[in-house]
Amino acid sequence: MSKGEETRAAVLDEAARQVSLVGLGGLTIGLLAEKTNLSKSGLFGHFRSKEQLQLAVIEWAGELFAERVIRPALKSPRGEPRLLELFDRKIRWDDGDLALPGGCFFASISAELDDAPPGPVRDRLVEIELDYADTLATVFRTGISEGQFRADADPEQYAFDIRGVLMSYHLASRLLADPKAEDRARAAFEALLRAARI
C-alpha cells in the first residue's frame, strides 16, 4: 500500500467510526481533519465533495462488514452452522468486539437515509442491504439443499425475519439498554430455525 493509500485507509476507518456516532450528516471534512490531524485541503484532495466522502465511507464500512462478518461466517459448514455464525458475528458487529463505537454502521445511517431521495449515497446503502439479505437467503437455501430445513421453507422470508430480529436487537441493546436484548434475539433466532427444520 502506498503512503497515500495508507492515509486514505486511516481516514476512512476514522470516518466510519465517526459516522457510527454522529451519522452521515455529521461527518465533515473539518471533523475528519480534527480527528486525524490532517489538513482540510489534504482531505479534500482525497474526496473532492461531501457526497464522495459519504460514498467512500459507505464502501469502507461495507468492506469492514464483509471482512468481519460475512467472509469468516462463510467458512463455517453449510446450512444451519453457517447461519448461526452469521447471526453471532452480526450480534458482535452491532454491540461486541466487532462493533464500531456507535454500533452497527448501517443501522445508524439507514434511519437517516430511508426517506432521502434516490441518489448515489442512498442507492449504495440499498445495494449493500439487499446484498446482505440475499446472502442470508442463499445460506438458508443451502440448508434446504443439505436436508436441514423443509423443502417448502421460504429463504427470502427467513432473511426478512432474521433481519427483523437483528434490527430489534440493535434497538433494544443500543437505545433501550435492555440487558436481555441478546438473550431475546437468540431465542427469536432459534424459534425461526426450529420452525424451518425438518
Side-chain angles (χ1 to χ4, degrees):
M1 214 186 278
S2 71
K3 177 104 169 105
E5 289 170 334
E6 285 179 10
T7 300
R8 183 179 171 88
V11 167
L12 287 172
D13 196 54
E14 182 59 35
R17 295 170 61 81
Q18 292 304 314
V19 168
S20 78
L21 294 167
V22 301
L24 277 176
L27 180 66
T28 64
I29 296 284
L31 174 66
L32 272 182
E34 177 187 323
K35 295 292 183 183
T36 59
N37 295 316
L38 296 170
S39 70
K40 287 183 183 180
S41 61
L43 287 173
F44 187 77
H46 281 285
F47 303 107
R48 299 287 177 200
S49 71
K50 187 167 185 174
E51 182 179 82
Q52 288 303 308
L53 173 59
Q54 290 175 339
L55 280 169
V57 75
I58 288 172
E59 288 295 332
W60 183 260
E63 182 54 34
L64 277 180
F65 185 73
E67 176 187 305
R68 294 179 181 181
V69 177
I70 303 294
R71 287 188 204 110
L74 294 180
K75 293 177 182 174
S76 296
R78 292 165 50 98
E80 189 169 327
R82 196 171 288 180
L83 288 173
L84 178 58
E85 188 66 18
L86 277 169
F87 181 82
D88 283 339
R89 287 184 164 277
K90 180 62 168 72
I91 291 280
R92 291 164 56 200
W93 168 265
D94 274 16
D95 200 21
D97 62 325
L98 303 180
L100 295 169
C104 180
F105 176 94
F106 301 106
S108 296
I109 67 170
S110 63
E112 195 175 347
L113 295 178
D114 62 358
D115 289 327
V121 174
R122 185 183 190 279
D123 294 350
R124 185 61 189 123
L125 174 61
V126 168
E127 288 172 6
I128 288 169
E129 289 291 344
L130 290 174
D131 285 348
Y132 177 53
D134 186 58
T135 297
L136 290 169
T138 298
V139 171
F140 186 88
R141 203 171 282 112
T142 65
I144 294 173
S145 67
E146 294 287 317
Q148 298 167 356
F149 302 133
R150 297 185 339 265
D152 65 343
D154 182 346
E156 284 73 23
Q157 184 64 49
Y158 170 81
F160 181 90
D161 291 346
I162 197 60
R163 289 174 71 230
V165 168
L166 289 164
M167 289 177 73
S168 184
Y169 168 73
H170 180 83
L171 176 70
S173 68
R174 303 295 302 184
L175 180 64
L176 304 178
D178 179 353
K180 294 186 176 180
E182 185 171 342
D183 291 340
R184 294 188 191 287
R186 289 189 181 282
F189 172 75
E190 179 56 34
L192 287 173
L193 292 182
R194 200 165 47 244
R197 286 183 190 122
I198 290 177

